[in-house]
Amino acid sequence: MKGIVLAGGTGSRLAPMTLAVSKHLLPVADKPMIYYPLTTLMSAGVTDILVISTPADLPQYRRLLGDGAQLGLRIGYAEQPRPEGIAQALLIGAEHIGGDTVALALGDNVFAGPGLPDILRSNAADVSGCVLFGAQADDPRRYGIGVADADGRLVHIEEKPARPRSSQAITGLYFYDNDVVDIARRLEPSGRGELEITDVNRVYVRRHRARLVNLGEEFLWRDAGTPDSLRDTGRRILSLEKDLGSRVACVEEVALRLGLIDARTCHRLGAAQANSGYGEYVMAVARGVGEGSPETSAGASR
């Protein structure tokens, strides 16, 4: 499975913070926002990832993540000159996807919770059609809402409905088979001139090849795209980290736990950030694993 992180757009809802900095590089708790979708894909078993962003912002991501080799990943980059819908990422990333399945993650969506990697990996291993992930929404009218039958088959999608038939919001994580590139190519732009991801998903619904996985209340999902949600997400992550006794979305730790890097490499990466609490934590994790401590699981970041 190939991965795509869509980190484009103008971030206008977060202005003036985003006038000089890409939205997806803003901090959520003590780390850049993009670490969250990146570790979500890693936890699903995806190691070949394309980051899509604006021409102006791509140099910042290259400076932060490089080619991914230091984490045992392969990270490439592609430009989105204008934000023309989430489904546009599938066309921009068509060459990257090739003949494989694909996991598309929105750069401002945060997932965490014990056991989440198991759910992600099991669904990534069997993608016949599309797999969407649903989470309970406080206000379903703000989101795309999915309605599934007793077997988890997605039977209906409503986009920001006035009277929702469900409270299951469709989150910003999508698993697709290889048909998705052709489906995206055949889309007609919406009235806003965008290629809507909901239109892609509706094709799979009509073909009876869409599943909705309910993440349940034990998992954290947040769209951190507004000032209020950015602050709230950071607070919730810090609270979760306190409960778990470990950090969420620590890319070095996730790479170590997955066997993508060894303890010595992890310690070196932490030492490069040794003046921060984050760097101290990475070094402590590396020392613990190096001494043979048991591995733990703490969600999409672990």
Side-chain angles (χ1 to χ4, degrees):
M1 173 175 274
K2 301 292 178 58
I4 294 176
V5 176
L6 180 56
T10 61
S12 58
R13 294 182 297 169
L14 284 164
M17 292 184 286
T18 49
L19 295 180
V21 179
S22 171
K23 171 176 73 172
H24 308 93
L25 293 175
L26 294 175
V28 175
D30 64 344
K31 58 195 73 70
M33 188 187 297
I34 197 170
Y35 276 22
Y36 294 88
L38 183 62
T39 53
T40 295
L41 292 182
M42 292 168 67
S43 295
V46 180
T47 58
D48 192 347
I49 298 168
L50 181 71
V51 175
I52 298 176
S53 190
T54 68
D57 291 333
L58 277 177
Q60 301 175 65
Y61 292 104
R62 287 193 173 98
R63 188 159 54 249
L64 176 67
L65 302 172
D67 63 3
Q70 75 280 9
L71 296 169
L73 304 175
R74 180 178 178 182
I75 298 178
Y77 301 90
E79 294 183 357
Q80 184 186 39
R82 293 174 303 280
E84 296 178 345
I86 295 171
Q88 184 187 30
L90 298 166
L91 301 183
I92 294 171
E95 183 175 348
H96 169 70
I97 297 169
D100 213 335
T101 57
V102 61
L104 170 61
L106 301 190
D108 58 5
N109 272 229
V110 172
F111 298 86
L116 186 55
D118 292 336
I119 292 176
L120 297 177
R121 283 194 293 268
S122 64
N123 283 284
D126 180 23
V127 181
S128 178
C130 80
V131 181
L132 308 180
F133 295 86
Q136 197 77 9
D138 295 333
D139 184 1
R141 295 170 299 179
R142 295 177 49 214
Y143 303 100
I145 298 300
V147 179
D149 64 18
D151 296 322
R153 184 169 59 92
L154 188 63
V155 296
H156 184 68
I157 299 176
E158 304 173 285
E159 188 63 32
K160 297 181 179 179
R163 296 181 178 179
R165 293 171 51 183
S166 164
S167 59
Q168 281 285 300
I170 295 175
T171 67
L173 179 64
Y174 317 88
F175 291 175
Y176 295 111
D177 65 12
N178 196 250
D179 290 346
V180 74
V181 175
D182 185 59
I183 290 171
R185 286 195 179 112
R186 295 171 182 270
L187 288 183
E188 292 291 334
S190 68
R192 298 183 299 174
E194 297 184 353
L195 299 178
E196 303 286 355
I197 199 68
T198 297
D199 291 338
V200 171
N201 297 335
R202 282 178 175 142
V203 172
Y204 283 103
V205 170
R206 289 196 296 271
R207 294 178 179 179
H208 307 290
R209 295 176 59 209
R211 287 191 288 123
L212 183 65
V213 177
N214 181 4
L215 292 179
E217 295 183 0
E218 65 269 30
F219 298 110
L220 171 69
W221 166 69
R222 285 292 182 273
D223 174 347
T226 68
D228 287 344
S229 62
L230 182 65
R231 287 191 295 268
D232 177 66
T233 302
R235 286 194 295 265
R236 288 176 179 266
I237 289 294
L238 290 172
S239 176
L240 180 59
E241 289 180 340
K242 183 178 180 180
D243 291 342
L244 295 170
S246 59
R247 275 175 162 79
V248 173
C250 175
V251 292
E252 296 86 356
E253 181 177 15
V254 175
L256 178 62
R257 302 293 183 188
L258 293 174
L260 301 175
I261 60 174
D262 59 23
R264 179 173 298 187
T265 300
C266 184
H267 191 278
R268 175 174 53 78
L269 293 173
Q273 307 168 76
N275 287 337
S276 69
Y278 181 93
E280 292 175 354
Y281 173 80
V282 172
M283 289 189 290
V285 167
R287 287 193 294 269
V289 171
E291 293 167 0
S293 66
E295 295 185 4
T296 60
S297 177
S301 67
R302 301 285 298 198

